[in-house]
Amino acid sequence: MTSTNTSPFVFANPHTKTVRAQAVPWKVLIIDDEPSVHQITKAIITEYEILGRPIECLSAYGDADARVLLKEHPDAAVCLLDVVMDTKETGLKLVQYIRKDLNNQMMRIVLRTGQPGYAPEREVFIQFDINDYKTKTELTEERLFTTLLGALRDYQSLTQLDRNNRLLTDVIDSMPEVYLILNLKGEITGLNSKALALSGLSREQGTGNKAWEALPLLNAYRTELEQALVTGKVCRVERVKTKIGQGSQYFDLMLYPLTQQAGAALILEEVSLKVRYEEMVIQSEKMLSVGGLAAGIAHEINNPLSAILQGAQNTLRRLGPEMEKNREVAASYKIDIDALQAYLKERKITEFLDHIVDAAGRAAGIVETMLRFSRKSESRKSSTNLNDLVESTLRLITKDYNLKHSEVFAATELNTQLDPELPLVPLEMTEIQQVLINLVKNAVQAFGDKLPAGNNPVITVSTQRMAGKVRLEVADNGPGMPEEIRRRILEPFFTTKEVGQGTGLGLAVSYFIITNNHQGSLEVLSEQGKGTRVQVDLPLHLEKE
Amino acid sequence: MKLLIIDDNQPLAEGLVAYFEDVGVEGVIADSAEKAKILFLQQPFDGAIVDFYLPGADGVRWVQWALEKKPNFRWVLYTGSLSYNLSKRLQGVGLSDRWVFRKPKACADDLLAALSIGMK
């Protein structure tokens, strides 16, 4: 049994059939300064067919042409190499050239010397990586055949083993997962390219390190990993998180013991997209449940709200001195309606009634907004120049009464970075306008009531063409938000503003407009102390709904 | 001008009547489609404000019934259901979303304005 067969991975030689059909010859290099040796060797061995393949002989007669030949034929199976040629050590130097300079460990080297005194067999075998040593006199035709057969068998096994190793390495290196081989101490003995990319280390730097030192995201699970290594049990951890810039990456971790060796394999599968998708599904479900609830209660709420509004408006009207009927009825009760007006004003009764009208109007607005979550956009989308829409919306925002009177907004630098190559985007203009207004207002409010110390507040609205989509981004250099808030920021009714300052629907509605009505995505990236970016991606082509 | 207000929400209906009274329009309340049918047959009305959800037959059925009796009769649908839209079938028989008003955003003068336009 060859060593190949003891490998846990046995791969079929992909060339086997081709080789047999075309009988690709074994390349045998003859390097010797005696032309007669070439002639005789060739005459003998080109008659052979060894392991089903003929033999092709290639010749070199000295150091220089040997080096050219060796370089041109790295796939030569055997090199029959004379020792004493240009110098006493030409052959031995060529061995070094093959093994070290050309890094060819596969080629089988058979030293053939006519002057064994110059290169004693034992010393040469110890010092040089050769495979056989023969004196020319002992190489009879029979011995030459057996020597070649042995060398070719070795070469065949080695190349098969090498192919398997390369395939195995390629398989592991091509894995989309991070893959580490660990010893029982948790030290890395092997790692694939994804592991190198994640750790930022070279293969040499990574090898020998503890896994949790090379990959700090494993640090939190060090105890579990150490325990699993010692007990030989499988260890799984879902959603291992690591920070990448302003965003996060998530991995599912699995460590399992190796069966043939003391150690374990550790796999990290990136599941960031899956996590994001799950978050999106949860958001959508929350929103749809809000929408469903709103649809159910809208009628029940809007009817009494109508009565409240109508009643308050009627009351205001019937207290006013402008209406002749009011004056008539008041006079019949000997009431001076102008004095009554003065009284109502002084006691702020008309103001209270105005508040009732305002409050009922706001409540109606909330119900209407909640209902957005239950409806598909019925409006028709049209191909729109998003840059124009951004500019016109920002002009509108600067005229917004509340913002115009905000000290923070007045000091805010509102920048745009619009991609001049932006293609037209299918969208519903009023909806995207609403999203942009919400995002900019949120950014202004993120700065707080007072100007932040240090940096001046800057909000940057940018557009960018990307593969199959365009990105609209609103970025601020505000205080950012902690992860626990960022995770909830899209939930309907979640707000960090003071009671009465916001309904917590603006961002949720924006999210719904983008994901539900425009088949796009909205992502909030934030880092405390550095600011927040909201990225809205809109597809250039909509799938039929 | 005399309007029929078909709504089972009494405070709202009375509020509308009060508004109309102040602008010189008479309002008569029916709190169900059945009562509205009786009033419609008994008295002449220039138009109707019709709630959609009513006890018994709904507002749209009442409008259909009224239009069969008086094809040029003016009406507006006044509904608290924001998601309500006229079905294609109803649009097919001449009912239009133009005459659908939402509570509480649309107020009494919107309704009156719509009916007055219709009456020209």
Side-chain angles (χ1 to χ4, degrees):
Chain A
M1 185 185 277
T2 65
S3 60
T4 318
N5 294 339
T6 60
S7 165
F9 299 95
V10 180
F11 303 104
N13 182 340
H15 300 298
T16 305
K17 281 186 182 167
T18 322
V19 165
R20 281 188 184 148
Q22 298 178 351
V24 175
W26 300 109
K27 283 185 187 175
V28 173
L29 307 185
I30 305 167
I31 301 175
D32 202 304
D33 60 350
E34 287 177 42
S36 61
V37 172
H38 287 263
Q39 286 169 4
I40 295 166
T41 309
K42 277 185 190 173
I44 297 170
I45 67 176
T46 47
E47 295 295 314
Y48 296 155
E49 190 178 283
I50 299 180
L51 301 170
R53 291 164 63 176
I55 289 175
E56 178 190 0
C57 290
L58 298 157
S59 291
Y61 298 87
D63 185 72
D65 59 341
R67 286 174 191 254
V68 173
L69 190 72
L70 286 163
K71 202 167 186 177
E72 281 177 358
H73 299 279
D75 57 335
V78 179
C79 177
L80 299 172
L81 181 60
D82 190 12
V83 178
V84 181
M85 286 181 282
D86 307 52
T87 69
K88 289 173 192 168
E89 294 180 327
T90 298
L92 299 177
K93 284 187 175 161
L94 285 173
V95 174
Q96 303 282 55
Y97 178 70
I98 294 166
R99 296 296 190 226
K100 291 194 175 155
D101 299 351
L102 298 179
N103 192 25
N104 186 339
Q105 314 304 327
M106 293 288 134
M107 192 185 289
R108 301 295 85 195
I109 302 174
V110 178
L111 273 188
R112 287 198 302 182
T113 181
Q115 302 162 52
Y118 285 119
E121 183 173 352
R122 179 188 286 230
E123 285 169 32
V124 169
F125 250 115
I126 291 169
Q127 278 184 40
F128 298 92
D129 183 11
I130 61 164
N131 308 100
D132 209 345
Y133 182 105
K134 295 279 187 279
T135 58
K136 286 182 182 170
T137 50
E138 70 177 308
L139 271 182
T140 59
E141 184 180 343
E142 199 60 21
R143 289 298 291 277
L144 186 59
F145 176 80
T146 54
T147 302
L148 263 182
L149 177 61
L152 288 171
R153 273 182 183 155
D154 285 353
Y155 180 77
Q156 195 178 40
S157 299
L158 274 175
T159 47
Q160 178 68 39
L161 201 59
D162 184 57
R163 252 199 308 274
N164 289 354
N165 272 341
R166 280 173 199 272
L167 184 55
L168 193 59
T169 307
D170 192 28
V171 166
I172 291 173
D173 236 19
S174 311
M175 279 169 72
E177 291 87 11
V178 169
Y179 194 87
L180 303 175
I181 305 287
L182 310 180
N183 64 21
L184 292 179
K185 292 181 200 161
E187 289 161 348
I188 298 170
T189 57
L191 69 174
N192 71 350
S193 54
K194 284 285 182 304
L196 298 175
L198 185 66
S199 66
L201 302 172
S202 69
R203 205 170 287 274
E204 290 71 31
Q205 288 168 329
T207 309
N209 262 321
K210 300 267 190 191
W212 37 89
E213 284 163 6
L215 296 171
L217 79 160
L218 298 175
N219 240 329
Y221 309 97
R222 183 181 167 167
T223 316
E224 290 93 323
L225 293 175
E226 282 179 326
Q227 203 172 2
L229 284 165
V230 173
T231 56
K233 287 189 176 158
V234 175
C235 170
R236 288 173 207 268
V237 185
E238 288 189 346
R239 310 295 191 257
V240 175
K241 190 179 149 193
T242 183
K243 274 275 205 189
I244 298 284
Q246 287 189 324
S248 302
Q249 264 183 311
Y250 294 88
F251 294 90
D252 280 356
L253 179 161
M254 180 165 69
L255 179 108
Y256 59 89
L258 299 176
T259 50
Q260 303 285 323
Q261 297 174 50
L266 188 152
I267 297 179
L268 285 170
E269 182 190 0
E270 186 172 2
V271 290
S272 306
L273 274 177
K274 202 169 145 191
V275 170
R276 236 157 260 151
Y277 179 72
E278 283 169 2
E279 281 178 2
M280 276 168 61
V281 169
I282 292 167
Q283 287 302 340
S284 296
E285 279 178 4
K286 276 182 186 166
M287 287 170 189
L288 287 171
S289 66
V290 166
L293 184 70
I297 63 170
H299 179 258
E300 301 311 315
I301 290 181
N302 283 336
N303 267 305
L305 279 178
S306 284
I308 291 168
L309 272 169
Q310 188 65 59
Q313 283 162 349
N314 281 346
T315 309
L316 279 165
R317 198 176 56 254
R318 288 196 169 183
L319 287 170
E322 310 83 16
M323 192 177 277
E324 192 49 41
K325 179 85 175 173
N326 292 355
R327 288 186 169 278
E328 277 173 28
V329 177
S332 72
Y333 288 96
K334 295 190 174 61
I335 295 169
D336 177 354
I337 199 157
D338 294 321
L340 177 65
Q341 265 299 303
Y343 167 80
L344 293 172
K345 209 163 190 175
E346 191 177 328
R347 301 296 295 146
K348 294 189 172 178
I349 290 166
T350 44
E351 200 178 310
F352 296 150
L353 287 166
D354 284 338
H355 290 169
I356 291 174
V357 174
D358 283 351
R362 275 209 303 279
I366 291 173
V367 174
E368 194 179 358
T369 308
M370 284 165 69
L371 272 168
R372 292 201 76 117
F373 295 130
S374 68
R375 284 179 290 177
K376 275 264 175 194
S377 177
E378 285 151 13
S379 51
R380 283 173 173 254
K381 296 173 185 73
S382 53
S383 292
T384 304
N385 183 326
L386 184 61
N387 287 343
D388 289 351
L389 183 64
V390 167
E391 283 177 339
S392 65
T393 307
L394 293 182
R395 278 198 297 276
L396 203 68
I397 288 172
T398 52
K399 288 177 188 153
D400 180 282
Y401 178 84
N402 289 327
L403 286 177
K404 224 160 77 176
H405 290 78
S406 150
E407 185 205 344
V408 175
F409 188 61
T412 300
E413 194 183 316
L414 191 57
N415 291 331
T416 51
Q417 287 172 4
L418 305 179
D419 183 347
E421 302 295 319
L422 210 63
L424 296 178
V425 193
L427 53 81
E428 211 287 286
M429 285 173 72
T430 54
E431 289 191 335
I432 300 303
Q433 195 164 47
Q434 188 192 345
V435 170
L436 185 55
I437 291 171
N438 284 341
L439 298 183
V440 173
K441 279 189 172 181
N442 274 352
V444 173
Q445 283 158 346
F447 291 119
D449 295 333
K450 290 181 182 163
L451 282 175
N455 287 347
N456 282 335
V458 179
I459 295 172
T460 306
V461 180
S462 58
T463 56
Q464 190 189 348
R465 181 182 191 150
M466 302 180 88
K469 62 186 181 183
V470 296
R471 172 166 292 173
L472 168 66
E473 184 179 275
V474 177
D476 67 65
N477 64 342
M481 63 188 106
E483 179 61 13
E484 58 269 25
I485 288 182
R486 192 205 64 79
R487 283 180 70 86
R488 297 192 60 198
I489 202 80
L490 297 172
E491 283 180 22
F493 297 111
F494 179 81
T495 179
T496 55
K497 296 168 196 164
E498 283 179 25
V499 176
Q501 295 298 303
T503 56
L505 286 173
L507 206 47
V509 165
S510 302
Y511 180 86
F512 197 79
I513 287 173
I514 298 301
T515 57
N516 194 65
N517 299 355
H518 287 83
Q519 299 169 14
S521 67
L522 184 151
E523 195 165 6
V524 180
L525 307 169
S526 189
E527 199 168 351
Q528 273 190 288
K530 291 199 175 165
T532 300
R533 318 172 83 84
V534 183
Q535 290 175 343
V536 172
D537 289 348
L538 294 165
L540 291 174
H541 303 287
L542 297 173
E543 284 171 24
K544 282 187 180 170
E545 290 171 358
Chain B
M1 186 191 279
K2 188 170 170 181
L3 297 176
L4 179 55
I5 298 157
I6 312 171
D7 202 314
D8 59 336
N9 183 340
Q10 196 193 342
L12 175 61
E14 285 178 358
L16 287 174
V17 169
Y19 170 80
F20 292 142
E21 187 189 325
D22 289 349
V23 295
V25 173
E26 186 186 349
V28 176
I29 299 170
D31 62 5
S32 71
E34 288 311 308
K35 285 184 189 166
K37 280 183 184 176
I38 295 166
L39 287 168
F40 184 82
L41 294 173
Q42 286 174 346
Q43 303 175 34
F45 288 99
D46 298 299
I49 293 163
V50 189
D51 186 16
F52 176 70
Y53 290 111
L54 290 166
D58 67 39
V60 171
R61 281 183 190 278
W62 186 89
V63 170
Q64 282 179 298
W65 174 84
L67 288 176
E68 280 169 19
K69 303 283 171 199
K70 283 189 187 176
N72 293 324
F73 186 69
R74 306 312 312 184
W75 57 277
V76 291
L77 204 60
Y78 193 35
T79 175
S81 167
L82 283 179
S83 54
Y84 176 75
N85 285 306
L86 284 180
S87 67
K88 288 219 164 92
R89 185 179 63 82
L90 293 176
Q91 289 175 34
V93 296
L95 304 186
S96 158
D97 272 329
R98 215 177 130 202
W99 307 113
V100 179
F101 289 81
R102 314 286 180 186
K103 294 173 185 175
K105 282 215 151 176
C107 52
D109 40 356
D110 295 326
L111 305 175
L112 197 57
L115 286 169
S116 300
I117 291 167
M119 283 164 202
K120 275 179 189 171

